[in-house]
Amino acid sequence: MLPKLGRIRIAGSRKRIESLMVRWDTRIGTVTISRDQIGRYFVSLQIASEYPFIEQYAHAGTAVGIDLNIENFLWDSGNNRVENPQFRRNLQSELAKAQKKVSRRAQRARKEKRPLLSAKNYQKARKQVSQIHARIAA
């Protein structure tokens, strides 16, 4: 429940959120709602408690196995995966093409003396570039 917005629905791990909020000593300090270039909304909660939320475990000096292959460049025994750089290169070339398209659309809008906010094709191309950036960052 937020003061100005009221009740909001949050997608995510419901059990994790409920486990944090069920404790009697948990309090919400700050709630930040942000929107990215694509139009997705994110909520960041600052939660405080007198007691730690996660138990600290002693460091175990265990070995890690690594599997190198073509599909997923690197896969270790902790189920951590590193993607093949080839896919990143393909996305980089796709990003370059999309950025050229944005530039052309912006030039045309300026040539026709239209503001970029009202240039629909420019806005669509700009959104496409933001989506590619999000895929690269993921």
Side-chain angles (χ1 to χ4, degrees):
M1 191 77 155
L2 298 176
K4 293 187 179 184
L5 297 177
R7 189 174 186 86
I8 61 170
R9 292 175 52 200
I10 298 175
S13 177
R14 184 178 182 131
K15 288 181 182 179
R16 181 176 293 164
I17 293 170
E18 286 178 355
S19 69
L20 291 175
M21 301 312 291
V22 165
R23 296 170 50 169
W24 60 271
D25 62 333
T26 303
R27 59 191 179 280
I28 298 175
T30 304
V31 178
T32 304
I33 300 174
S34 58
R35 187 175 74 103
D36 65 358
Q37 293 290 325
I38 301 171
R40 298 179 299 185
Y41 287 90
F42 297 92
V43 176
S44 174
L45 300 170
Q46 182 183 19
I47 299 175
S49 174
E50 296 294 326
Y51 304 100
F53 291 108
I54 300 172
E55 295 179 20
Q56 295 290 330
Y57 295 107
H59 186 293
T62 59
V64 175
I66 297 175
D67 178 26
L68 298 174
N69 57 37
I70 296 172
E71 188 177 325
N72 295 317
F73 187 61
L74 184 136
W75 192 284
D76 69 0
S77 59
N79 284 335
N80 297 321
R81 181 176 64 180
V82 176
E83 293 294 329
N84 193 335
Q86 172 188 356
F87 301 118
R88 185 180 195 92
R89 275 181 261 148
N90 292 343
L91 283 174
Q92 291 289 2
S93 65
E94 187 179 336
L95 177 64
K97 289 177 189 175
Q99 286 175 331
K100 286 179 190 176
K101 188 184 286 188
V102 167
S103 178
R104 284 194 308 267
R105 302 263 167 96
Q107 284 176 349
R108 183 170 179 165
R110 287 190 192 107
K111 183 179 174 183
E112 295 173 356
K113 301 204 185 319
R114 290 185 296 143
L116 293 179
L117 286 174
S118 66
K120 298 289 185 183
N121 288 333
Y122 170 78
Q123 293 298 329
K124 285 189 275 187
R126 184 190 58 79
K127 196 170 195 176
Q128 185 180 13
V129 168
S130 296
Q131 288 172 343
I132 295 170
H133 274 297
R135 282 197 325 224
I136 289 172

